[in-house]
Amino acid sequence: MKSLEELKALREKMRAQVNMRENVGGEHTRVVVGMATCGIASGARPVLNRLSELVQEKDLTDKISVTQTGCIGLCQYEPIVEVLEPGKEKVTYIKMNPEKAEEVVEQHLIRGNVLGKYTLASAGI
Amino acid sequence: MMTEISLNILDVAENSTKAGATLVEIGVMVSHLSDTLTVTIKDNGCGMDEEQVRKVTDPFYTTRTTRKVGLGVPFFKQAAEATGGSFEITSKKGVGTYVKAVFVLSSIDRMPLGDICLTMQNLIIYHPETDFLYTYAFDSKSFVLDTREFREILGEDIPFNSPEIAAYIMDYLKENTLEVDGGAAI
């Protein structure tokens, strides 16, 4: 059984790292996933987890934070992912799935190319 | 509708955090003896008045302004009652809300529990300001996860959503769940 002792050991290991992270300045990009009933029922959880995993795997946690939000009123387009970059217009991706989320990380978050084909604007509303 | 009981739990517990709860207690109890899977969610959030409690199982009632339907609680209620189980919700303004859903374990209409570990990890890491007390019981065995214990060890400077801690929480949930239910498909 996993013990709390392991957590204590982890804490000691991380204390030094936390100090380093605090020194990283700059503005954060926020990736926000809708997690109300509409989002969850349409499959937002695997999208949220894939985004979060990739941001960690690719060591982007200093620049990008993945968070969740409620319903923004576009339930028919869920799962919705919003990308908020400092100084740029918000990009709203609709009808996401884990595979599309991977593309968003690779193309948009890493290379800066907005994936027009998945955005709300592409739905013509 | 939801495809897993655990997604209903995620959805309903999200409401607890939005109600400003500082502590959300979640219980998942599997009993072959009584042939039930019981889910309880108790919070100390803002609570609801009597009229709201009456309306909350109505799919056409919501306090949201972004849409006109509120399906979270009705989905959960319907999922439990469809198995021949029961659903109750009680709430008191300023005190908190309690939800209890009982599913008939062997019912062919019962949706699977699903990835309850992921549900709990999601709730914990995306709501760092809320404490969670999670109990998972499988017949006579059980385990408890209390984020207040984690918080006491980690202090203020190490957040739950840091990759190492998020991974630890997931391992903690998975290993203890396996120990309790022996990997049974529920």
Side-chain angles (χ1 to χ4, degrees), chain A residues 13-26 28 56 59-63, chain B residues 157-166:
Chain A
K13 204 179 110 192
M14 286 183 68
R15 283 254 157 95
Q17 295 174 9
V18 167
N19 294 334
M20 271 162 54
R21 273 184 201 154
E22 276 169 359
N23 295 332
V24 179
H28 246 63
Q56 283 178 21
D59 219 10
L60 300 168
T61 48
D62 289 337
K63 286 177 263 169
Chain B
D157 51 347
I158 303 176
F160 287 161
N161 63 0
S162 56
E164 297 88 340
I165 302 302

Side-chain angles (χ1 to χ4, degrees), chain A residues 95-109:
Chain A
K95 297 190 178 178
M96 294 300 283
N97 59 37
E99 292 73 33
K100 289 182 185 175
E102 285 170 19
E103 278 189 70
V104 168
V105 172
E106 286 294 336
Q107 296 301 326
H108 185 163
L109 300 179

Side-chain angles (χ1 to χ4, degrees), chain A residues 82-92 108 114 121:
Chain A
E82 295 179 326
V83 178
L84 300 106
E85 288 177 282
K88 290 189 187 170
E89 210 164 305
K90 176 175 79 180
V91 177
T92 304
H108 185 163
V114 174

Side-chain angles (χ1 to χ4, degrees), chain A residues 7 22 29 34 42 46 49 61-62 72 78 94 99 123:
Chain A
L7 189 61
E22 276 169 359
T29 292
S42 352
N49 285 307
T61 48
D62 289 337
I72 61 167
E78 295 280 359
I94 58 169
E99 292 73 33

